[in-house]
Amino acid sequence: MATAEALNHRAVSDRFLDHAQDELDGGDLLQASEKAWGALAHYVKAIAEERGWENDSHSDVMAIAQGLVEVAAAPRRQGAQLRSARLLHVNFYEDELNSDQVQGGIDDTKDLIAALKEAEHRFPIRKPNGDDSPGDGAEAASPGRLELAAQPPPR
């Protein structure tokens, strides 16, 4: 069950992805970079909120994202996409990327979010009664123990 906070994070993620492209099209590379990074961060925070995972810091968000990437369909590719998205965050402060590089980062971020949407079903969502067990005897996941809840996708 998605919480109001998780739904808000998902909505912000979608909005920021749109804004990233708009900012790039308008020539503002820094805002485009940060909006794309923000879209990923909010999407990861939505996943974390639904599962009761701590996500109050940048390191929490990165740990969750890295854990999700590890069980995604193509962890190597999604790992590269995560690094690309993180580079956009750095670019906001350093202003080092050109428009083609920022566009590539935005595209990578969109693809990564799509891959995370495919992978997130592998992690149990916290039940409204506070019972965090996935119902099959496995332990509930947390940022440091994502692999315990990873299940192969249904075929």
Side-chain angles (χ1 to χ4, degrees):
M1 168 179 255
T3 65
E5 192 167 350
L7 291 172
N8 182 58
H9 282 302
R10 287 178 189 272
V12 170
S13 176
D14 291 342
R15 189 172 71 241
F16 278 10
L17 270 181
D18 291 340
H19 287 180
Q21 192 63 55
D22 293 344
E23 294 288 356
L24 180 62
D25 293 344
D28 192 337
L29 304 183
L30 300 182
Q31 283 299 316
S33 296
E34 192 65 357
K35 290 293 194 271
W37 166 256
L40 176 62
H42 276 278
Y43 191 80
V44 170
K45 287 175 82 62
I47 293 171
E49 283 296 323
E50 291 169 344
R51 288 150 180 84
W53 300 339
E54 189 171 326
N55 63 95
D56 296 325
S57 70
H58 184 77
S59 60
D60 290 340
V61 171
M62 281 302 296
I64 294 165
Q66 289 169 337
L68 290 168
V69 160
E70 288 174 12
V71 298
R76 226 172 153 177
R77 181 177 46 206
Q78 273 87 56
Q81 291 166 337
L82 178 58
R83 289 186 298 277
S84 180
R86 190 163 189 276
L87 183 58
L88 292 176
H89 183 52
V90 171
N91 190 58
F92 177 72
Y93 299 100
E94 303 300 330
D95 194 16
E96 297 175 339
L97 302 179
N98 64 38
S99 61
D100 288 339
Q101 292 167 322
V102 173
Q103 182 65 67
I106 291 171
D107 293 343
D108 283 345
T109 302
K110 287 178 181 178
D111 292 345
L112 177 57
I113 289 172
L116 293 180
K117 285 179 182 179
E118 293 294 319
E120 74 176 279
H121 73 277
R122 298 177 186 181
F123 304 100
I125 294 177
R126 181 177 52 191
K127 296 178 177 75
N129 67 2
D131 177 5
D132 287 339
S133 67
D136 63 359
E139 293 181 79
S142 64
R145 300 178 343 140
L146 293 175
E147 71 282 351
L148 293 177
Q151 302 295 321
R155 300 238 174 221

